[in-house]
Amino acid sequence: MNRNVVIRTIERADAATIDALAPIGTATVYEAIGRRGYVGPHITPVQRGARIAGSAVTVSSHPGTNLVIHAAVDVCSPGDVLVVANTAHSTHGMFGDLLASSLVAHGVRGLVMDAGVRDTSDLREMGFPVW
């Protein structure tokens, strides 16, 4: 039986470092850190032109359920970026405007996820960056 584990104590990057990285493109950061962390060309922005940086709160989720995303919201702090990876390929719409509103209330800067995203018009209107 699989069980979900929520780690509530996360070591976050220094705020000054995060703010310095914010205006720099991801390709430049990727090259500077030794070409590590590239997730692939399938991760595309919901809205063009958004640039963010933050400490990653990472989630490993089963396709089709956003239960652990809800749990992660409570772990997030201002300045974080929520990063969700699924244990298998998923096109399920696991994230939308309601979860985005919760993340905004926690001061989260954006979301990176390898699954379907719904309510994209609302997310654009909110100005909440999603990849």
Side-chain angles (χ1 to χ4, degrees), residues 10 17 28 36 38-39 42-43 46 48 53 56 58-59 61 68 74-75 80-81 89 98 101 115-116 119 124 130:
I10 298 171
T17 301
T28 302
R36 293 186 331 249
Y38 178 62
V39 294
H42 64 285
I43 302 293
V46 168
R48 302 284 177 201
T58 59
V59 172
S61 180
V68 291
D74 288 332
V75 176
D80 286 342
V81 175
H89 177 73
L98 295 178
S101 295
D119 308 323
R124 285 185 196 103
V130 175

Side-chain angles (χ1 to χ4, degrees), residues 45-119:
V46 168
Q47 60 282 78
R48 302 284 177 201
R51 287 187 175 198
I52 60 170
S55 287
V57 174
T58 59
V59 172
S60 177
S61 180
H62 297 290
T65 178
N66 61 9
L67 179 64
V68 291
I69 299 173
H70 284 277
V73 169
D74 288 332
V75 176
C76 290
S77 294
D80 286 342
V81 175
L82 185 58
V83 180
V84 180
N86 280 284
T87 58
H89 177 73
S90 176
T91 57
H92 294 92
M94 296 171 51
F95 184 87
D97 63 343
L98 295 178
L99 274 167
S101 295
S102 294
L103 290 175
V104 167
H106 280 81
V108 174
R109 294 182 176 176
L111 169 81
V112 178
M113 186 167 80
D114 68 348
V117 174
R118 58 184 182 255
D119 308 323

